[in-house]
Amino acid sequence: MEKDRVNIQRVIIIGGSAGSLEVLLEVLPQLKHDLKIPIILVMHRKATAESTLVNLLSSRTSICLKEAEEKEHIRNNCIYLAPADYHLLFEDDLSFSLDYSEKINYSRPSIDVSFESAAEVFKDNLVAILLSGANSDGTNGLREVQQRGGLSIVQDPATAEVSFMPRSAVDAKVADKTIAVTELANFINQL
Amino acid sequence: MEVKLNEEELGLLLNDLMEVHGYDFTSYAKASLRRRVNRLMSLDKFPSFAEFRYKIKSDSSYLKRFVEEITVNVTEMFRDPSFYAILRTKILPQLATKPFIRIWHAGCATGEEVYSMAILLQEAKLLNKSLLYATDINPDVLEEAQKGIFQLNYMKQYSENYVASGGREDFSSYYTANYDRVIFKDQLRSRMIFATHNLVSDSSFNEFQLIMCRNVLIYFDKDLQERVFTLFDNSLEPLGFLALGSKETLRFSAIESKFQQVKDQKIWKKIE
Ligand SMILES: C[S@@+](CC[C@H](N)C(=O)[O-])C[C@H]1O[C@@H](n2cnc3c(N)ncnc32)[C@H](O)[C@@H]1O
């Protein structure tokens, strides 16, 4: 375990809301199996949605995909899903923390909360990607990612099923780059 | 730009709190703590960490606010309905054989969980021989909990949770509405005892048949979690139950071997 921890160089965190599930279902099968980095998914969903989303997503990839657990150490070549109804935070020892505080942007998990926490811990090793969605969660988080030297990527609003969320980030000038859905897997594979 | 704490500053702050006020937050999980402190500094418009630190050191009334705001007190009635369904169908029938039932809600926040339990006990006709000890580190939320007054607009959600947990009564029969508030029936409240108790520093104060500590341990580091598990172990009768939050576990803890997990549930039975 210690070894994995030391080895973590880059981390990808992806936030999405309405219309982003389709993006993930398209991107996941195209990811290379020996992906050297961890990916963390923060998706808006119903508080009661239990294991179904994990099952659905993991059916699309051979990479280990699981719900992030409290105090679990982040490992490379693993995809983690933020559990429903908790905010997902990151500790300095590269483990996950859960938090049941107030919703942010009407959301728990909130993308802003996870992006901000990830930015503090991973700094310029972080790549944050904001997908389709119908509220402005994620924009403040991306700003923090940029301020801490990380890379801020936004799904090209023109390719988003619901463009409000990526549009909000682009308008706030917190996107280093916009990427079309069709380019996304390729981009991740080359990191 | 907002003032944000770095790790060193958080360390200084935790030290002050301990040395000046005897409050020990050093074993809390740092990510959430840092977020809460940043939030408080920004809410109260502190221009710098130095000023915030000075205020905490020198103003004990501000310390009260600090404790109130740093703890996360969000809660719900019948949160995780399937958990309450198991309490109803599997756990309470086992407690029913006891002459007297003592339940401890550790970290009860504003009490929604305690009222939910009182309703279960009432429906199982066990309330009269039960006592619910509800404790928290935050005196402010306990004062709220004691009143039994909640916002009317939450009742729809709570009523749905209640039904999903297997409740068959009319949920609104448990409270009286008054404008935008509701007050829960005295009968439910009559079996509750509220007191401050700090899981970090206070010791065992009774023996219980059931301890509920849900969504509190996620804020503690591993060492503190371990200490609190020992405290619970010392406060549980043989064959008593420990119930944790849906993302918390007794697995990998030193006391795990003394307990048996209720299948697929975050509930453990003390077997030795
Ligand atoms: C998120 S709430 C959980 C409420 C309820 N049990 C639930 O699951 O909905 C966490 C509670 O733990 C309390 N708490 C935090 N640290 C504590 C400590 N050291 N001792 C006792 N309670 C503590 C907080 O004040 C807060 O009310």
Side-chain angles (χ1 to χ4, degrees):
Chain A
M1 217 165 28
E2 285 291 334
K3 204 160 127 261
D4 281 339
R5 256 187 263 174
V6 179
N7 277 340
I8 289 185
Q9 290 184 338
R10 274 217 141 144
V11 172
I12 302 179
I13 186 163
I14 300 179
S17 188
S20 63
L21 180 59
E22 293 74 4
V23 177
L24 291 179
L25 294 178
E26 183 179 330
V27 168
L28 285 174
Q30 301 176 52
L31 294 180
K32 58 182 185 193
H33 309 303
D34 60 344
L35 198 70
K36 292 288 186 301
I37 35 188
I39 300 182
I40 294 129
L41 308 174
V42 182
M43 310 282 291
H44 289 168
R45 54 192 163 128
K46 284 242 163 61
T48 45
E50 270 313 315
S51 55
T52 40
L53 186 58
V54 170
N55 293 340
L56 176 62
L57 293 173
S58 62
S59 71
R60 299 300 175 103
T61 173
S62 61
I63 304 172
C64 109
L65 190 152
K66 64 186 295 292
E67 201 171 88
E69 286 176 55
E70 201 252 330
K71 304 232 175 347
E72 176 177 11
H73 282 280
I74 301 169
R75 289 183 305 145
N76 286 320
N77 194 229
C78 234
I79 303 175
Y80 300 94
L81 177 68
D85 212 23
Y86 289 84
H87 293 304
L88 182 67
L89 304 176
F90 302 87
E91 298 290 346
D92 291 329
D93 68 354
L94 311 189
S95 64
F96 294 113
S97 253
L98 299 179
D99 173 23
Y100 191 67
S101 57
E102 298 78 3
K103 292 183 178 176
I104 301 286
N105 306 316
Y106 312 99
S107 309
R108 193 174 47 223
S110 144
I111 300 168
D112 275 343
V113 169
S114 289
F115 279 14
E116 282 167 15
S117 174
E120 281 180 32
V121 171
F122 302 114
K123 303 188 175 68
D124 56 351
N125 292 323
L126 184 69
V127 179
I129 305 176
L130 188 67
L131 303 178
S132 167
N135 78 12
S136 59
D137 198 15
T139 294
N140 288 333
L142 286 180
R143 186 173 299 117
E144 186 77 21
V145 170
Q146 285 188 323
Q147 280 169 0
R148 304 254 177 183
L151 188 60
S152 153
I153 307 289
V154 173
Q155 177 179 359
D156 179 355
T159 72
E161 194 178 306
V162 185
S163 63
F164 192 91
M165 203 158 84
R167 168 79 56 211
S168 150
V170 171
D171 288 351
K173 303 204 167 37
V174 295
D176 292 319
K177 193 175 153 96
T178 60
I179 292 189
V181 176
T182 45
E183 307 290 318
L184 200 52
N186 208 10
F187 171 80
I188 294 174
N189 284 334
Q190 279 168 11
L191 279 174
Chain B
M1 206 183 116
E2 281 171 47
V3 191
K4 285 208 169 165
L5 279 187
N6 61 36
E7 202 181 337
E8 198 183 325
E9 290 166 338
L10 182 62
L12 290 173
L13 189 68
L14 297 184
N15 235 2
D16 292 350
L17 284 163
M18 183 121 109
E19 277 176 6
V20 183
H21 302 291
Y23 263 109
D24 183 0
F25 287 101
T26 55
S27 303
Y28 278 51
K30 297 291 176 293
S32 158
L33 198 56
R34 205 159 44 206
R35 199 175 152 249
R36 298 302 282 184
V37 175
N38 284 333
R39 173 180 163 276
L40 181 59
M41 284 198 298
S42 127
L43 271 179
D44 291 352
K45 307 201 170 53
F46 281 95
S48 70
F49 170 70
E51 286 181 49
F52 182 68
R53 185 178 176 199
Y54 179 76
K55 183 86 172 168
I56 296 224
K57 266 186 157 171
S58 59
D59 181 348
S60 54
S61 68
Y62 191 73
L63 174 77
K64 181 171 178 301
R65 173 161 173 82
F66 179 86
V67 173
E68 285 165 15
E69 292 297 323
I70 253 42
T71 52
V72 172
N73 308 121
V74 177
T75 183
E76 250 180 50
M77 283 193 184
F78 291 97
R79 173 176 182 188
D80 309 321
S82 58
F83 165 77
Y84 284 93
I86 297 292
L87 283 184
R88 204 188 270 283
T89 55
K90 299 257 157 63
I91 309 300
L92 291 192
Q94 297 187 52
L95 300 185
T97 58
K98 312 268 176 190
F100 198 78
I101 304 172
R102 269 187 306 271
I103 300 175
W104 178 15
H105 294 266
C108 67
T110 37
E112 282 79 343
E113 186 185 276
V114 193
Y115 286 85
S116 307
M117 179 61 91
I119 289 173
L120 289 189
L121 290 166
Q122 163 101 323
E123 294 184 358
K125 304 208 163 41
L126 298 173
L127 187 60
N128 288 335
K129 64 166 178 172
S130 303
L131 269 184
L132 296 94
Y133 294 75
T135 66
D136 202 282
I137 189 181
N138 180 349
D140 210 43
V141 287
L142 290 174
E143 214 169 289
E144 285 304 306
Q146 206 148 13
K147 291 183 195 150
I149 297 175
F150 301 95
Q151 285 185 32
L152 177 63
N153 59 342
Y154 292 144
M155 291 305 131
K156 185 170 174 289
Q157 175 68 50
Y158 294 173
S159 165
E160 285 168 18
N161 289 355
Y162 165 77
V163 170
S165 79
R168 298 233 176 83
E169 304 296 319
D170 177 1
F171 188 65
S172 65
S173 67
Y174 289 112
Y175 59 76
T176 313
N178 195 350
Y179 299 101
D180 56 347
R181 300 288 164 90
V182 306
I183 177 154
F184 275 73
K185 294 270 149 86
D186 275 341
Q187 200 188 1
L188 298 174
R189 282 191 292 159
S190 65
R191 310 304 298 170
M192 300 174 186
I193 296 167
F194 296 92
T196 52
H197 180 279
N198 185 345
L199 290 167
V200 177
S201 47
D202 293 335
S203 47
S204 175
F205 59 95
N206 215 326
E207 253 202 341
F208 301 91
Q209 280 87 33
L210 170 60
I211 298 176
M212 304 251 283
C213 184
R214 311 188 70 222
N215 302 299
V216 181
L217 295 167
I218 48 175
Y219 297 104
F220 296 171
D221 72 14
K222 276 224 153 112
D223 291 340
L224 179 55
Q225 288 184 348
E226 204 53 51
R227 279 192 276 146
V228 173
F229 283 143
T230 305
L231 170 67
F232 289 158
D233 185 27
N234 292 335
S235 312
L236 264 183
E237 252 185 37
L239 307 182
F241 293 93
L242 173 62
L244 304 180
S246 64
K247 302 298 170 194
E248 295 159 335
T249 183
L250 209 59
R251 252 171 75 206
F252 313 121
S253 84
I255 63 163
E256 182 187 7
S257 62
K258 295 184 177 184
F259 285 76
Q260 188 171 48
Q261 186 168 9
V262 176
K263 193 169 174 287
D264 298 330
Q265 297 300 320
K266 292 300 171 85
I267 305 175
W268 283 263
K269 185 173 190 171
K270 184 170 172 174
I271 48 174
E272 66 176 61

